[in-house]
Every structure is written in structure tokens, then in C-alpha cells.
Amino acid sequence: MRISARADYAVRAALQLAASRDDAPLKTEAIAGAQDIPHKFLEGILNDMRRGGLVLSQRGGNGGYRLARPAESISIADVIRVVDGPLVSVRGVRPPDLSYSGPAQSLLPLWIALRSNVREILEGVSLADVAAAELPAEVAALTDVPDAWVNP
């Protein structure tokens, strides 16, 4: 599985908004600077997040962006889906829309199992969890597997 730069930037921007101490909107420049995200790229991402109902924008001198809902109610999966679409696809196709034959038939349940596990993790972790550095125990436990930090 590959996390696009767009998804990474979107999650980081959402986390910056989640960590904001007051209810004042954050300017794009402040988010971009804090997370080292290219400003113009971030503008497009924030617009997608606004259209997707994750952030609210406010114009004017005191304008900027804020989360549309509490950080506890926005999952990492929500953010990724808004900017990148489905969490798992094969050649741009969702697994249930695929079909294989012969020795490749077992690929479909494999892709479905992968999607199920990705969903379980990304839907089970909120922006508030990550911003507070408090991953759910079952997710944190996955990082304790000896090979988890090793690239094969």
C-alpha cells in the first residue's frame, strides 16, 4: 500500500488544525509552515477537505481554516478518502469490482482482506488520537512486531 503525498499532507494539515489550542481559524501559510507543506499544494488539499465537509473556511483578515467537527469524530480514513478516494484499489478499481480466473482467483479475497485490515486501522484512529500521541492499543501493538520497522 502506498500513501500519496497528497494524503500525507492532508492528514498532517488536519492534525495541525486538531492541535490548535483555540477555536481561531489557522491560515494556510501557518499550516504550510508548521508542517513543511508546499503552500499552493496545500491550498488545493484544503479546498478538497472543505468540499468533503472536514474543514470550514473563513474569509477575511481573521480568516483561515478549522475542523468542521471535533477531532475525535474525524478518522484518518475520512481524511484520506476525501483527498485520494478509496483506501484500497487495484489499478484504480475497488476490489469488489474485480474478477480473476484460474490461479489468480485467490487474489480477490486477498485484496478484500487487505482492504478490511486497512479500514480497521485507519477508521479506528481519529485525528484526536494522533494529535494526542495516544494510538488505540491494538494499533500501537502492531508497531511492537519486530519486523514492523524494517523494510524488506
Side-chain angles (χ1 to χ4, degrees):
M1 182 179 167
R2 183 179 308 247
I3 305 294
S4 70
R6 186 172 183 76
D8 179 57
Y9 290 162
V11 170
R12 289 167 43 201
L15 288 168
Q16 193 68 39
L17 292 170
S20 178
R21 296 288 179 222
D22 55 21
D23 199 30
L26 293 180
K27 296 193 179 302
T28 308
E29 298 82 8
I31 299 168
Q35 290 297 321
D36 196 27
I37 301 171
H39 180 264
K40 284 293 186 190
F41 198 31
L42 181 59
E43 284 180 345
I45 290 168
L46 288 169
N47 279 328
D48 286 348
M49 292 172 68
R50 182 185 50 77
R51 283 190 294 275
L54 296 181
V55 299
L56 300 172
S57 63
Q58 179 178 324
R59 294 181 185 253
N62 294 326
Y65 291 88
R66 76 174 116 234
L67 293 178
R69 306 189 310 259
E72 298 81 17
S73 71
I74 301 174
S75 72
I76 302 301
D78 293 334
V79 177
I80 294 172
R81 283 185 182 116
V82 163
V83 298
D84 267 359
L87 295 176
V88 174
S89 65
V90 178
R91 301 179 325 266
V93 177
R94 293 174 187 216
D97 297 331
L98 297 168
S99 65
Y100 296 102
S101 59
Q105 271 184 312
S106 295
L107 274 178
L108 184 56
L110 177 66
W111 298 152
I112 297 294
L114 173 68
R115 181 175 74 165
S116 176
N117 279 306
V118 168
R119 276 182 174 172
E120 185 175 340
I121 292 170
L122 295 179
E123 288 175 353
V125 178
S126 73
L127 291 175
D129 295 332
V130 179
E134 295 177 0
L135 294 178
E138 58 276 7
V139 174
L142 293 171
T143 66
D144 294 335
V145 175
D147 288 342
W149 297 87
V150 177
N151 291 329

